[in-house]
Structures are given as C-alpha cells and as structure tokens.
Amino acid sequence: MNNSVTNTARLLWAGLRALLVLTVVTGVLYPLAVTGVAQALFPGRANGSEITSHGKVVGSSLIGQQGYSLKYFQPRPAAGLGANSINTRYKLILSGATNLAADNPKLVEAVEDARAKVVKDNSVPGYTVRPAQVPADAVTSSGSGLDPAISPAYAELQVHRVAERNGLPVARVERLVKEHTQGRALGFAGEPQVNVLELNIALRDLTAAR
C-alpha cells in the first residue's frame, strides 16, 4: 500500500515538474525568443506592417480600407452583394469571400451594378469610361474581402476622376500611380499592384502641398 502511494506521488511530482518546465519553455522562453528575433530582423512586419502619416498610424499595408470619397482612389469592392449592400466584409471578424458561383444570379447582378457604378463615377468631362475598360478587380472582391491593393489598370482608370476632383493635371496623377506601382514579388510571383492606402496618402500630401 505504501509503495503504491509512493509511486503515485512520485509520478504526480514528475508530471508537475514536466508541466512547469514545458510551461516555462513553450509559454515564456519560446515566445520571447520568437518575438525578439522578429523585432530584430523585420520589426515592421512583426508589428503589423503599419502605415504612418505625419507620425500617426493610419492603417496596415496588409488590410484594405473602405469609405474613401470620390476625391481619392477607390479599393476593390467588399464581398457584400448589390450596389447598395453594406460592406461588412471589411470588418476583420468577417473576413472572407462571397463563395458564390460565377453564374450565381446575385453575383452576376452585383458585378453588373459595380461595373455601372465604376463607369459612372469615373466618367468626367472629356473622358468617358467604357464598360469594356473596367478590370475584374474593380467589380469583384478578393478571396479575403480585405485586399489592400488594386491592379495598375484599375488605378489608371481612376486617374481622370481623381485629377478632376482635386484640380490636378492628369499627367501628375498618372505619375503618382506609377510611383506607387509595385512589381511582382521576387520579380516573377503574383501581379503588379498598387496599395490604395499608400497611394491616397501620397495624393493627400500632394494636394496639401499645392
């Protein structure tokens, strides 16, 4: 009986020691080491790829934002349906795509409504957008619904409207887009893109400096 109690106590004590050691190693030392390495090697990414403007954090280069006025470049649409839908998908807790098939009537209607809006918003005196000019990313959401970037084609489509509403030369806004166009990752992966938040910050600074 005594041997049984002793063995049980010994096993419990061994288990407790293992628990304490593993808690310290995996719950304290390992996270501190990983955090330290991340902060030392790539602090920007480790802290959420924050974008600052005039010393204030205004967003992340990884997360898209909605709500820009037509003076600014517009992002990809969120994953809501219909022209008047609420863009709930830009709330991080609801990140995701529509998951609708390409021939789903609701998705087809949403794309058609979005295309008509893009054509209307970006047609200004002396420059008319044709439906065929509207790129796919202007009328569809990304897989996450939080894409921070648009294609150069969609950015260029908006140049005339942005220039007209801000009283800027078209050529200057075109140059701004080119300056903020990022090439393929590693030179071959993915597609060229334009980060909307970074572009709009540069646009605001440009108009403020006039």
Side-chain angles (χ1 to χ4, degrees):
M1 186 69 172
N2 289 335
N3 287 337
S4 176
V5 172
T6 301
N7 288 336
T8 300
R10 182 174 57 81
L11 290 174
L12 289 175
W13 175 234
L16 180 59
R17 283 184 295 173
L19 174 63
L20 292 174
V21 170
L22 290 174
T23 298
V24 171
V25 172
T26 62
V28 179
L29 298 180
Y30 177 73
L32 286 176
V34 171
T35 301
V37 171
Q39 292 293 340
L41 297 181
F42 29 83
R45 294 183 180 180
N47 292 310
S49 300
E50 296 174 339
I51 295 178
T52 60
S53 177
H54 302 288
K56 179 181 178 181
V57 176
V58 294
S60 168
S61 63
L62 304 177
I63 304 296
Q65 297 185 12
Q66 287 277 10
Y68 295 109
S69 73
L70 290 178
K71 289 179 60 178
Y72 294 96
F73 288 90
Q74 302 299 304
R76 295 185 68 164
L81 295 175
N84 299 315
S85 63
I86 299 175
N87 290 318
T88 56
R89 294 290 178 173
Y90 267 68
K91 296 178 180 179
L92 302 188
I93 196 172
L94 295 175
S95 172
T98 62
N99 292 326
L100 297 177
D103 59 351
N104 185 288
K106 290 183 179 180
L107 181 59
V108 172
E109 178 186 2
V111 169
E112 292 175 347
D113 289 345
R115 180 182 291 112
K117 187 176 188 305
V118 169
V119 169
K120 178 183 176 182
D121 288 346
N122 292 283
S123 294
V124 298
Y127 179 78
T128 301
V129 176
R130 300 187 306 276
Q133 292 177 263
V134 180
D137 64 307
V139 296
T140 57
S141 63
S142 64
S144 69
L146 299 169
D147 200 330
I150 57 177
S151 66
Y154 186 27
E156 291 164 4
L157 184 86
Q158 303 182 59
V159 163
H160 286 78
R161 185 247 307 153
V162 170
E164 191 267 340
R165 288 182 176 261
N166 288 281
L168 294 169
V170 170
R172 182 65 188 92
V173 180
E174 287 177 336
R175 187 161 74 251
L176 194 68
V177 170
K178 286 183 172 60
E179 291 170 352
H180 286 81
T181 298
Q182 304 165 6
R184 292 178 171 85
L186 303 177
F188 66 89
E191 296 293 333
Q193 60 182 9
V194 182
N195 186 286
V196 178
L197 177 56
E198 293 176 350
L199 178 60
N200 281 334
I201 290 173
L203 173 65
R204 185 188 63 187
D205 292 344
L206 178 63
T207 56
R210 287 184 302 165

